[in-house]
Amino acid sequence: MRVTPALIVDDSPMIVKIIKRSLLTNTIDGYHFADDSIYSASDGMEAFEVMGRAYDIKLIVTDINMPYLNGDEFIEILKDTGKLSNLEVVFVTSSSTHLILKSEIEDSILGIIYKPFRYESFAEEFKSLQKRKLLQNIELQNIKIEQVEKKEFIEKMCFLYLVDIGIDSVTDSLDLIIDESFSNAQITKEEYPELLYSILSIYLFETQVDHIVSHKRIKCILKRKENAPNVKKYHIGLMDDFKKELDYVNSKNLRPTEIVTALISNTFDTLSMTTSHVKKFPRVDNKLFAPHFEYTIKELTKIDCEFEDEKLLKLMSEFKEISEFSEFLYDFLKNKEVFKSIKAASLSRALGIEIKNRLSKILKITYALNKHYCSSLEFYIFKRVKSSSEIHRFFKKNMPKAIPCSSTFLHFKGKITTKELRDYAPYEMQKLVVISAELKTLEFFKITMGDTFKNWGVFCFAKSTILEAWLGSNKPNKIVIDYDYMGSGFKNGVEFLNLLYKKYPELKNEAVVNGIYFITKEQRQEEIKEYRDELKFANIAYPIAFKDVFEVLIYD
């Protein structure tokens, strides 16, 4: 290794000797010292003279408090004149307290070793400073890499926001604003929303774009980015598991029953478990609904950026996976892959036919499951619609007489024709049950609301016994009860509803009954509030007005 020229600066000859001996007798990483290449000086002024003799000094060990020119002043001058870049500096001091140096000096040195020390301990302290500096440099490098990644992320989020508001191209000033935002501080993820708000506000102001930056839109963009990788966690694993079982049966010498069990059982169990989550929703024609779900969700998310929540992501992910598995299984059977891809089936036609029959049943289950998922998605999408004030406003402004559902939204957007709209009618049929002792109330719903909701059946009941007979063979989708409805065993409409729940538990299922409403007179408004924690319901104020009833039934 090449000899390292070193300079020891201290007004104590004894300290100079201890340091020199330590350098010569100890192994220090990155250095190799020789007696004739270690120089000394008693103060900063003399040290400048040594430096001027072109010894190509690589290490300076200097005391801080010295006559004429202190060590820190000496090093500061070297830094200011650009001579410190290729030097390693260690301060030594007899100070009994922790020294505080200027930050620019502290960042430029290896560290401080406090007196007194022996030549052995000096070397150990020197090595300790080296190790600490190495760790600091690694940490600093990691911070720089992390900051670059964060900067790139913020830049992408800015682009996504600008695209969201219809700006497809940006000027160089955006990069400059982002650079300035990252110049003096380490940005944490918690600071992303405010940072994005600040950057976008400045950029849009400078580019004279008339737009008020939305905190909610920023939050949504960050959420979408965060959720993107999470879609994998909703993976059911149908296709992967089936292919693994296929590899397994081909790699083992199994009996026919074991082959059938391996290929069918896991898939059947997975489908059965998945079906249990959505079977409460009636089957709908997936050819009508499935092609438009992604478009509908995308368009509704444009109106309310928080529309697509985790449950909707999960439903869509599972629905897509089941659809893909259905297509795979259909092709697998159509192309006679049972006899081509399964070794044992190619040798035994009887086994192949048995596997084919079992897989055909599995395929039928996936078809039925798809229809349940379509219904589940349709229900949940428009449940989310009801909970969004932004989408409420959109429908009321643009589709004031339309019932919020896939068909009306797609028709409004021009994605389906008026003729195609009629195909959806059977699936949008709702049974509205109205319970009241007031004949005028029943007449209002039967005639006025019956004419308004063409796809709805309005069933009016004044007597509970007739209603219960009807419930024996029918399931309502919406229930309207007069709060003043009284009878034997119940003193108001809420108590009557609870009696119905006990006798017909399925009425509590929101996939069956998607709305409970109470008609309430003004003097009863406070009284009914006590039931809000117990029951989920909307209120229809008395006297009944068409506009109010329409909006409550549709949006509440």
Side-chain angles (χ1 to χ4, degrees):
M1 183 185 288
R2 189 176 177 182
V3 172
T4 305
L7 171 60
I8 304 169
V9 188
D10 200 296
D11 55 349
S12 167
M14 179 64 68
I15 293 297
V16 172
K17 286 181 181 178
I18 291 172
I19 294 171
K20 185 174 182 178
R21 182 183 176 189
S22 180
L23 296 178
L24 290 171
T25 57
N26 288 280
T27 302
I28 299 175
D29 288 345
Y31 296 103
H32 173 60
F33 300 104
D35 185 64
D36 58 357
S37 293
I38 297 178
Y39 307 96
S40 63
S42 59
D43 59 55
M45 296 297 291
E46 190 179 337
F48 270 120
E49 293 178 17
V50 176
M51 295 284 290
R53 293 173 196 155
Y55 293 132
D56 194 22
I57 301 296
K58 296 297 181 186
L59 171 67
I60 296 176
V61 180
T62 176
D63 191 8
I64 293 179
N65 297 313
M66 295 181 294
Y68 306 114
L69 187 67
N70 284 334
D72 56 338
E73 295 170 333
F74 165 54
I75 296 303
E76 188 172 359
I77 294 168
L78 289 180
K79 180 174 176 60
D80 292 342
T81 55
K83 295 178 180 177
L84 202 61
S85 56
N86 295 319
L87 283 169
E88 194 83 271
V89 175
V90 174
F91 281 138
V92 293
T93 181
S94 57
S95 173
S96 58
T97 58
H98 182 75
L99 286 178
I100 299 174
L101 301 170
K102 292 181 180 179
S103 59
E104 60 268 25
I105 297 299
E106 189 170 6
D107 292 341
S108 303
I109 67 170
L110 188 62
I112 302 171
I113 297 176
Y114 290 87
K115 301 175 185 176
F117 47 73
R118 298 168 63 86
Y119 73 92
E120 303 98 328
S121 62
F122 177 84
E124 291 306 313
E125 288 288 338
F126 193 104
K127 291 174 184 177
S128 178
L129 290 179
Q130 278 187 312
K131 184 177 180 180
R132 190 177 70 185
K133 192 70 172 181
L134 176 63
L135 293 173
Q136 286 175 345
N137 288 339
I138 292 171
E139 184 181 358
L140 185 62
Q141 187 62 29
N142 289 337
I143 289 171
K144 286 179 179 178
I145 293 169
E146 191 177 306
Q147 289 295 86
V148 168
E149 290 172 352
K150 288 178 179 179
K151 183 179 167 184
E152 289 174 352
F153 178 81
I154 290 295
E155 190 174 20
K156 286 178 184 176
M157 295 304 99
C158 285
F159 286 146
L160 286 174
Y161 185 98
L162 294 170
V163 168
D164 257 14
I165 63 171
I167 300 173
D168 296 325
S169 59
V170 296
T171 64
D172 293 339
S173 63
L174 180 62
D175 286 334
L176 295 174
I177 296 166
I178 294 171
D179 286 341
E180 287 173 6
S181 302
F182 277 82
S183 59
N184 298 318
Q186 293 179 27
I187 307 298
T188 64
K189 289 184 178 180
E190 289 72 25
E191 296 172 301
Y192 282 175
E194 286 303 320
L195 178 65
L196 282 164
Y197 182 85
S198 174
I199 291 169
L200 288 163
S201 297
I202 295 168
Y203 177 74
L204 292 172
F205 175 77
E206 289 184 356
T207 53
Q208 298 182 339
V209 175
D210 185 18
H211 172 79
I212 298 173
V213 178
S214 164
H215 281 288
K216 183 175 180 179
R217 191 182 289 272
I218 288 171
K219 180 183 172 184
C220 289
I221 287 170
L222 290 169
K223 187 179 176 183
R224 286 207 304 264
K225 190 69 178 175
E226 184 182 327
N227 281 342
N230 291 341
V231 174
K232 290 181 181 177
K233 73 181 180 183
Y234 308 129
H235 190 58
I236 301 170
L238 284 166
M239 190 111 63
D240 293 341
D241 290 347
F242 182 78
K243 288 180 177 178
K244 283 178 185 175
E245 295 299 340
L246 209 57
D247 291 338
Y248 171 75
V249 298
N250 283 328
S251 64
K252 302 288 183 181
N253 186 21
L254 302 174
R255 292 176 304 199
T257 53
E258 291 174 326
I259 294 172
V260 173
T261 300
L263 289 172
I264 304 301
S265 291
N266 286 344
T267 303
F268 182 80
D269 290 345
T270 302
L271 287 172
S272 297
M273 184 177 66
T274 308
T275 301
S276 68
H277 298 151
V278 293
K279 68 179 180 181
K280 61 185 179 182
F281 297 96
R283 299 179 194 179
V284 298
D285 187 348
N286 56 341
K287 290 178 183 176
L288 283 177
F289 290 88
H292 301 295
F293 279 135
E294 285 190 332
Y295 172 81
T296 301
I297 292 168
K298 181 182 175 183
E299 291 301 306
L300 291 172
T301 304
K302 286 180 182 178
I303 302 169
D304 179 357
C305 63
E306 289 188 309
F307 177 75
E308 191 175 25
D309 66 355
E310 190 162 342
K311 183 173 179 179
L312 190 51
L313 279 170
K314 180 177 184 292
L315 282 170
M316 274 302 293
S317 175
E318 291 173 351
F319 173 66
K320 285 180 184 176
E321 186 179 345
I322 293 162
S323 298
E324 288 168 5
F325 184 67
S326 292
E327 290 175 16
F328 163 78
L329 207 53
Y330 174 80
D331 290 336
F332 190 84
L333 292 167
K334 180 185 175 184
N335 298 327
K336 299 181 179 179
E337 289 294 331
V338 170
F339 301 97
K340 298 175 186 176
S341 302
I342 304 169
K343 290 178 184 177
S346 66
L347 300 173
S348 169
R349 183 166 180 79
L351 174 61
I353 290 170
E354 177 63 19
I355 294 171
K356 181 184 174 182
N357 291 339
R358 296 285 189 98
L359 289 178
S360 295
K361 289 179 182 178
I362 293 286
L363 182 60
K364 287 180 181 178
I365 292 171
T366 64
Y367 286 158
L369 186 54
N370 260 324
K371 292 178 179 181
H372 284 299
Y373 259 95
C374 276
S375 181
S376 174
L377 273 163
E378 173 72 2
F379 171 82
Y380 192 71
I381 286 170
F382 287 91
K383 181 181 178 182
R384 292 285 297 149
V385 164
K386 289 181 180 181
S387 66
S388 167
S389 57
E390 288 98 329
I391 300 175
H392 268 205
R393 287 193 293 270
F394 175 86
F395 272 92
K396 288 177 183 179
K397 179 182 177 182
N398 298 286
M399 306 162 60
K401 295 183 179 179
I403 298 170
C405 57
S406 282
S407 60
T408 55
F409 185 69
L410 293 168
H411 186 253
F412 171 77
K413 288 287 187 177
K415 297 296 285 185
I416 61 172
T417 65
T418 303
K419 183 181 177 182
E420 290 171 320
L421 180 64
R422 297 191 193 103
D423 295 333
Y424 288 83
Y427 304 105
E428 288 158 7
M429 182 71 176
Q430 295 272 300
K431 291 178 182 178
L432 172 66
V433 165
V434 184
I435 307 156
S436 175
E438 297 281 345
L439 295 180
K440 284 186 178 180
T441 299
L442 297 177
E443 184 180 2
F444 170 84
F445 278 94
K446 188 66 178 177
I447 297 173
T448 309
M449 304 316 293
D451 289 344
T452 302
F453 301 116
K454 300 296 183 184
N455 293 338
W456 288 20
V458 180
F459 302 89
C460 298
F461 300 94
K463 293 187 176 293
S464 60
T465 51
I466 299 174
L467 168 65
E468 290 187 45
W470 184 87
L471 287 173
S473 55
N474 293 277
K475 291 180 181 177
N477 303 110
K478 293 179 183 291
I479 301 175
V480 177
I481 307 178
D482 192 331
Y483 181 69
D484 286 334
Y485 189 66
M486 294 183 288
S488 177
F490 56 92
K491 65 180 182 181
N492 58 41
V494 172
E495 290 189 4
F496 178 64
L497 178 64
N498 282 325
L499 288 174
L500 289 180
Y501 279 162
K502 286 180 181 178
K503 194 165 185 180
Y504 308 97
E506 68 273 14
L507 296 180
K508 286 186 176 183
N509 185 344
E510 66 177 354
V512 177
V513 178
N514 57 55
I516 298 290
Y517 311 86
F518 284 104
I519 302 168
T520 317
K521 292 175 181 174
E522 188 176 352
Q523 61 267 33
R524 301 286 199 183
Q525 295 288 345
E526 286 299 318
E527 186 179 324
I528 199 172
K529 283 182 181 178
E530 67 180 81
Y531 297 105
R532 284 208 176 272
D533 292 336
E534 178 189 347
L535 303 168
K536 290 181 180 179
F537 63 86
N539 194 46
I540 297 173
Y542 195 91
I544 302 168
F546 170 77
K547 184 176 181 294
D548 295 338
V549 174
F550 179 87
E551 291 200 358
V552 170
L553 289 178
I554 294 303
Y555 295 108
D556 289 337

